[in-house]
Amino acid sequence: QVQLQESGPGLVKPSQTLSLTCTVSGGSITTNYYYWSWIRQPPGKGLEWIGYIAYSGSTYYSPSLKSRTSISRDTSNNQFSLQLSSVTPEDTAVYYCARGPRLVYDYWGQGTQVTVSS
């Protein structure tokens, strides 16, 4: 059973960088053909895919967030991380990590609330 757990600050100031980590257990993030995504849901809105890091280490980002997004990984700790720079209150959301490239995910983290506010 694969499990994912998000961690990171729940409050970020405007213009700063949001940083979250997803710790994966029950499966390796380097296992062939698996993709590891970040997704968010702003209050009152639908899910928004942010980007993924593949088993190979390659990354792909949503075009609307690409200029501010970086996803990396720590294979020794079986973790992958999200950095979103220059945040504004519009980046306030519940952030999820999940296994899957986009639209179809088989395992999810429980989600973590991130609020952007001064």
Side-chain angles (χ1 to χ4, degrees), residues 10-23:
L11 180 63
V12 182
K13 292 185 179 345
S15 81
Q16 293 188 341
T17 296
L18 179 161
S19 296
L20 296 174
T21 295
C22 182
T23 301

Side-chain angles (χ1 to χ4, degrees), residues 5 7 9-11 18 31 33 39 45-46 49 57-59 61 64 68 97-98 101-103 106 111 118:
Q5 178 66 58
S7 60
L11 180 63
L18 179 161
T31 298
Y33 313 127
I39 303 127
K45 297 185 180 180
W49 175 74
S58 63
T59 54
Y61 305 127
S64 64
R68 301 194 290 128
C97 57
R102 189 173 181 178
L103 299 179
D106 54 1
S118 55

Side-chain angles (χ1 to χ4, degrees), residues 34-54:
Y34 284 124
Y35 296 78
W36 305 89
S37 285
W38 286 100
I39 303 127
R40 69 182 183 180
Q41 185 167 29
K45 297 185 180 180
L47 294 170
E48 178 182 23
W49 175 74
I50 300 169
Y52 68 64
I53 187 162

Side-chain angles (χ1 to χ4, degrees), residues 13-101:
K13 292 185 179 345
S15 81
Q16 293 188 341
T17 296
L18 179 161
S19 296
L20 296 174
T21 295
C22 182
T23 301
V24 179
S25 59
S28 173
I29 62 172
T30 62
T31 298
N32 275 354
Y33 313 127
Y34 284 124
Y35 296 78
W36 305 89
S37 285
W38 286 100
I39 303 127
R40 69 182 183 180
Q41 185 167 29
K45 297 185 180 180
L47 294 170
E48 178 182 23
W49 175 74
I50 300 169
Y52 68 64
I53 187 162
Y55 59 96
S56 61
S58 63
T59 54
Y60 186 72
Y61 305 127
S62 168
S64 64
L65 295 169
K66 182 178 181 180
S67 64
R68 301 194 290 128
T69 305
S70 177
I71 297 175
S72 59
R73 67 181 184 176
D74 177 355
T75 57
S76 62
N77 288 308
N78 214 36
Q79 297 174 326
F80 63 104
S81 297
L82 168 71
Q83 290 198 313
L84 184 66
S85 63
S86 305
V87 296
T88 71
E90 285 66 43
D91 294 308
T92 294
V94 178
Y95 284 76
Y96 299 92
C97 57
R99 190 175 78 172

Side-chain angles (χ1 to χ4, degrees), residues 8-12 112-116:
L11 180 63
V12 182
T112 187
Q113 173 70 46
V114 178
T115 300
V116 179

